[in-house]
Amino acid sequence: MTSVFCQTDDFLKQNPKLANWRNSNNDQPEFTDAEVITIALMQPIFGVSNLKRAYLLTKNFFAKAFPKLPSYAQFIARLHALGSFIGMMTMKIALRSAGDGNVFLIDSKPIPVCKLIRHCKVRLLRDQGAYFGKNKAGWYFGFKLHLLAHSDGTILGAFLTPGNWDDRDVAAALAEGLEPESILIADLGYRDSKELEPLLAEQYGVILVTRSHAPKRLRPLISCIRERIETVFSCFWNRFIDLVFSRSFTGLWSTIRMKMLHYTFCKAGILPPLNP
């Protein structure tokens, strides 16, 4: 835990423009932003499925390390308020640690908010965008996480959308920041689009590649490269991304952002990787 706090606090001190995001008289709270992020980052390290358990473990066993620890409700409110900062922090570390090359990966993962048996009765987050979606495993109710990653597995962009959104509708937004002549490798769900491929090529200079575009002799190579983003999703599974306890879209997105931040810290070598 000390290592997590030191790394987070050092990052805040090294990036004062990101850290000084408050516009109020209470811009130096007793319980610091580094402490808020540290406790949230401890969730996957503790191996617990939600932030409340991580908070309670910290309160019960590390109270001396956090003498100004607020209530859980205040902690969650602070974490939600730090959402944009956490996103910027994740991106800054990712850009610093990403490898060379112009090959990128894009894919999506369902985030169900309930089990299949409760589909006919579920109301959780319905009024905040949760909806029915379908993937290879079948129907689910919830959201969809869209990721853009470098070929080395570094996450460079993410969107959380309702479960019924088409992957191709988000691809252009994710690819917006890529350099011209970049190669974007996707699965077959992104093919056969009369608008996406010309848009990426003409507006961003990005080449979309799926197995259907490649000759047969190169298809195994495409599949091999795509395995990297599947590994990223597997790492999220180890961080309990499929267990949704949030009661709002803001809470769910904050939780996912923290999992991406922890993954990025591990990928950059700032924190040790989780044990398999």
Side-chain angles (χ1 to χ4, degrees):
M1 179 176 286
T2 302
S3 175
V4 174
F5 173 79
C6 290
Q7 293 289 353
T8 305
D9 191 54
D10 288 346
F11 181 87
L12 293 175
K13 292 177 179 178
Q14 292 168 7
N15 298 272
K17 292 183 179 180
L18 294 181
N20 297 329
W21 58 274
R22 288 182 173 83
N23 294 314
S24 69
N25 295 330
N26 187 28
D27 59 353
Q28 297 293 330
E30 291 183 324
F31 190 68
T32 66
D33 292 341
E35 291 176 298
V36 174
I37 295 172
T38 297
I39 295 175
L41 283 173
M42 291 305 296
Q43 180 199 338
I45 298 174
F46 285 151
V48 295
S49 58
N50 57 62
L51 286 171
K52 188 168 187 177
R53 291 184 179 180
Y55 171 88
L56 292 175
L57 283 172
T58 303
K59 181 178 180 180
N60 293 331
F61 296 101
F62 300 95
K64 292 183 179 180
F66 299 96
K68 301 296 183 179
L69 183 67
S71 67
Y72 178 69
Q74 292 172 321
F75 164 74
I76 287 296
R78 287 280 301 278
L79 184 63
H80 291 177
L82 286 168
S84 297
F85 168 76
I86 292 169
M88 291 186 290
M89 183 177 179
T90 304
M91 183 58 61
K92 195 173 185 69
I93 296 172
L95 291 174
R96 184 191 304 169
S97 62
D100 298 327
N102 64 340
V103 178
F104 301 89
L105 309 169
I106 190 171
D107 205 351
S108 66
K109 171 182 173 51
I111 307 293
V113 299
C114 70
K115 294 183 178 180
L116 180 63
I117 195 172
R118 298 193 64 248
H119 278 185
C120 60
K121 299 181 179 180
V122 66
R123 295 292 182 270
L124 180 62
L125 299 178
R126 185 187 289 268
D127 60 341
Q128 299 192 42
Y131 205 73
F132 291 99
K134 189 177 183 181
N135 63 352
K136 294 178 182 178
W139 289 95
Y140 67 93
F141 182 84
F143 296 90
K144 188 184 291 187
L145 177 63
H146 305 262
L147 287 185
L148 172 71
H150 190 270
S151 57
D152 67 357
T154 303
I155 298 172
L156 299 176
F159 280 105
L160 186 65
T161 68
N164 61 333
W165 278 36
D166 194 309
D167 292 345
R168 294 168 291 187
D169 295 339
V170 185
L174 284 172
E176 184 176 357
L178 297 181
E179 296 291 334
E181 299 184 2
S182 294
I183 298 173
L184 187 61
I185 297 179
D187 65 15
L188 296 179
Y190 295 83
R191 65 177 175 176
D192 300 332
S193 175
K194 297 180 180 179
E195 299 179 0
L196 178 59
E197 292 180 40
L199 174 64
L200 293 177
E202 296 173 9
Q203 189 164 345
Y204 306 125
V206 174
I207 303 170
L208 180 67
V209 176
T210 67
R211 278 174 53 88
S212 63
H213 294 94
K216 289 185 178 180
R217 62 186 178 83
L218 293 180
R219 290 178 184 176
L221 175 61
I222 299 296
S223 298
C224 182
I225 297 174
R226 280 204 69 257
E227 287 180 0
R228 174 63 66 175
I229 200 165
E230 300 295 341
T231 302
V232 174
F233 286 135
S234 296
C235 291
F236 282 167
W237 182 85
N238 291 337
R239 290 166 173 82
F240 306 101
I241 198 171
D242 292 323
L243 298 179
V244 175
F245 298 93
S246 303
R247 292 297 179 265
S248 68
F249 180 87
T250 301
L252 177 60
W253 187 221
S254 293
T255 301
I256 292 175
R257 276 174 163 169
M258 287 308 308
K259 298 180 192 302
M260 290 193 291
L261 177 60
H262 184 269
Y263 170 85
T264 302
F265 269 30
C266 295
K267 190 73 177 60
I270 297 175
L271 294 177
L274 292 179
N275 293 326

